[in-house]
Amino acid sequence: MTALVYGLAVAGESTVRALLRHGVAVKVADDTITDARLALASELGVELVDAAQTSAERLLDGCTLLCPAPGVAEHHPIIIAAQHLGLDIVSEIELAYRWEQSRPDGPRPMLAVTGTDGKTSTTKLTVAILEAAGVRSVDAGNTDTPLVDAIDARNDDGTEMYDAFVVECSSFRLAFTPTFRADAAAWLNVQPDHLNWHTSMASYEAAKAQVFANQRPDDVVIGFANDAAVMGHLATAPGRTLSFGLTAGEYRSEGGLLIGPSGTIAPITSLRRTLRHDITNALAASALVLETGLADVAAIERALGTFIGPAHRLERLGSHNGADWFNDSKATTPHAASAAIRSFENIVLIAGGADKGVDLSSMADEAWRCTGVLAIGATASTIANIFASVTRVESVGTLERAVERAAVWASPGDIVLLSPGCASLDQFTNFQVRGEAFRMLFTQLAGQQLQGVSA
């Protein structure tokens, strides 16, 4: 067997290493050849082929498997050529799943989480609950740990590091999963996103639906009760179906409690933060662990009391001149930005960024919550137009300028919220870099305030 790994960034590197560990011959190609990637290929002992100088058919010659990196879109010539040739196209989570099935002691439990927004927080919370229950687990897949690395991870004494896996499933990875299945899978929501990667919204939704496609009748299927599209797929899923929602579903909130089919799970006050999506994420995570028997309600309550969500997701940075500042750089979709906006009133909103080909207008559905909007990046004019009903709207271009203006606009009791609703790639490497830049700018601002006080 020979595999072509297409793309030698983070996931591509892990895929090459994993294939070599498992005795598979590897070819590597990339659209962009850099000195760093050439050095990495040399370290790995593989040749890195410049795809821009070689036809897709020639690259695939002699290969039985194509392993595209997540950045390789479904309309990329290499994907089209592989489909024409009838080759097996698999993401890294599909590879890992196949190898895990042949584990001598049998496969370990896999839980899966997908959705347009909320995947990372729900995945990490699920891991925290499992750890509280004494189950060694890891958030893998669309995270810092590819699943191909997680399944092979060993302690210093050679024993396996994990008892179970919680797989964050992006549409990029799910699009190429002909056999991947999870013992329990949760689909949080679906809204237009990544339409520059997928050929259509239907294609994007179909990729997400793969999280249920290969499940068995005794597997657990979990969906958000208030999302009609998700519930439509839930109705045709092969597993045992359950829903969750703020007030609807087998898993819901009621009377200040998180409730499941067997009764009370935990008081909502157990959560360190109780915004609406915090509650629904907790319900989805609870369903995953309770329905598989991997944790009990005591473990859930312990984890809820200590869990701190990942950075750049409605992360409170602090206060300046009586206004609270929040970093929500991970809100790279209108749906995510809308959820953040619904969480507050008297908002000075910083929004905009790279265009992913989606309609941004839903961000302004509750524009009344905003006292001002500062538009940045490539979509600044669009953001300014959709928030035209707000008293103060200004296109400022850069994040630095937005922070300067926000500091002037915000009054005591206001919320300054970076929730872009757009990708970051017009001005930043990724949403993390954008969020860290915002944090640094706020820290400088707060430092100036402290210096003024001490003076």
Side-chain angles (χ1 to χ4, degrees):
M1 176 186 291
T2 299
L4 172 65
V5 176
Y6 203 99
L8 194 57
V10 177
E13 176 186 349
S14 288
T15 301
V16 171
R17 292 185 187 278
L19 286 163
L20 294 174
R21 281 197 307 270
H22 287 263
V24 180
V26 178
K27 295 169 61 176
V28 185
D30 204 307
D31 292 323
T32 304
I33 305 299
T34 65
D35 289 343
R37 289 178 182 175
L38 286 169
L40 175 58
S42 177
E43 177 197 331
L44 294 170
V46 296
E47 179 187 3
L48 177 58
V49 179
D50 187 349
Q53 306 297 322
T54 311
S55 70
E57 288 75 17
R58 184 175 175 187
L59 288 171
L60 292 166
D61 185 38
C63 295
T64 52
L65 195 65
L66 171 64
C67 304
V72 180
E74 63 183 11
H75 49 75
H76 192 287
I78 197 69
I79 302 295
I80 295 171
Q83 290 170 336
H84 178 72
L85 293 169
L87 295 186
D88 205 7
I89 307 173
V90 300
S91 67
E92 64 94 8
I93 64 171
E94 172 72 17
L95 271 180
Y97 174 78
R98 294 182 183 186
W99 289 328
E100 182 68 11
Q101 300 316 294
S102 61
R103 178 173 174 264
D105 293 331
R108 289 162 287 185
M110 282 196 188
L111 310 181
V113 180
T114 197
T116 302
D117 300 305
K119 296 185 297 296
T120 300
S121 296
T122 303
T123 299
K124 287 184 176 294
L125 176 55
T126 305
V127 169
I129 295 170
L130 292 175
E131 293 287 344
V135 179
R136 300 172 304 162
S137 64
V138 62
D139 53 315
N142 188 45
T143 69
D144 292 337
T145 307
L147 190 57
V148 289
D149 290 342
I151 63 165
D152 288 341
R154 295 290 187 275
N155 297 305
D156 291 341
D157 62 2
T159 57
E160 291 174 329
M161 192 172 289
Y162 303 117
D163 305 316
F165 309 96
V166 187
V167 188
E168 181 181 327
C169 297
S170 66
S171 61
F172 303 159
R173 284 168 166 82
L174 284 172
F176 305 118
T177 52
T179 67
F180 171 80
R181 63 167 273 274
D183 300 272
W187 189 348
L188 306 181
N189 47 63
V190 60
Q191 293 289 326
D193 195 16
H194 300 305
L195 299 186
N196 54 349
W197 193 99
H198 292 279
T199 56
S200 65
M201 181 61 193
S203 172
Y204 172 61
E205 191 173 317
K208 291 289 190 188
Q210 278 296 116
V211 79
F212 296 154
N214 299 310
Q215 287 188 295
R216 300 168 183 167
D218 56 347
D219 291 331
V220 182
V221 177
I222 301 162
F224 183 40
N226 299 112
D227 191 307
V230 170
M231 293 304 290
H233 289 283
L234 206 74
T236 60
R240 180 167 58 88
T241 61
L242 296 133
S243 63
F244 70 95
L246 199 62
T247 58
E250 289 85 2
Y251 286 82
R252 62 192 183 278
S253 61
E254 187 177 293
L257 301 171
L258 302 179
I259 300 292
S262 299
T264 299
I265 298 170
I268 290 175
T269 53
S270 298
L271 280 75
R272 293 172 64 95
R273 192 181 69 183
T274 57
L275 299 176
R276 296 200 308 181
H277 62 277
D278 296 320
I279 295 170
T280 53
N281 289 348
L283 290 165
S286 297
L288 284 166
V289 300
L290 291 176
E291 296 298 328
T292 52
L294 291 171
D296 58 17
V297 294
I300 293 172
E301 186 166 2
R302 287 197 299 274
L304 294 180
T306 58
F307 178 72
I308 299 175
H312 316 300
R313 294 156 175 86
L314 272 183
E315 174 191 15
R316 185 180 182 275
L317 299 181
S319 179
H320 174 70
N321 288 341
D324 285 341
W325 288 58
F326 285 82
N327 166 25
D328 195 37
S329 181
K330 179 58 176 71
T332 59
T333 68
H335 180 256
S338 296
I341 292 167
R342 286 196 303 270
S343 300
F344 305 107
E345 294 181 19
N346 301 319
I347 302 167
V348 176
L349 175 68
I350 302 172
D355 189 353
K356 293 197 285 184
V358 301
D359 182 3
L360 302 178
S361 61
S362 63
M363 289 176 62
D365 285 350
E366 298 190 33
W368 62 269
R369 295 178 179 272
C370 299
T371 63
V373 175
L374 294 159
I376 63 173
T379 60
S381 60
T382 303
I383 293 292
N385 286 336
I386 65 175
F387 282 98
S389 64
V390 177
T391 303
R392 294 179 298 183
V393 179
E394 188 174 329
S395 293
V396 293
T398 66
L399 186 58
E400 291 83 356
R401 181 62 177 155
V403 168
E404 291 173 3
R405 296 297 291 154
V408 174
W409 284 8
S411 301
D414 284 353
I415 300 293
V416 177
L417 172 65
L418 170 67
S419 194
C422 301
S424 59
L425 299 179
D426 56 339
Q427 296 181 334
F428 300 94
T429 306
N430 52 46
F431 76 84
Q432 293 98 327
V433 173
R434 178 172 60 191
E436 290 303 327
F438 185 60
R439 187 198 310 279
M440 181 186 69
L441 290 165
F442 171 77
T443 300
Q444 292 171 350
L445 187 68
Q448 292 169 8
Q449 181 183 17
L450 289 174
Q451 290 172 9
V453 171
S454 62

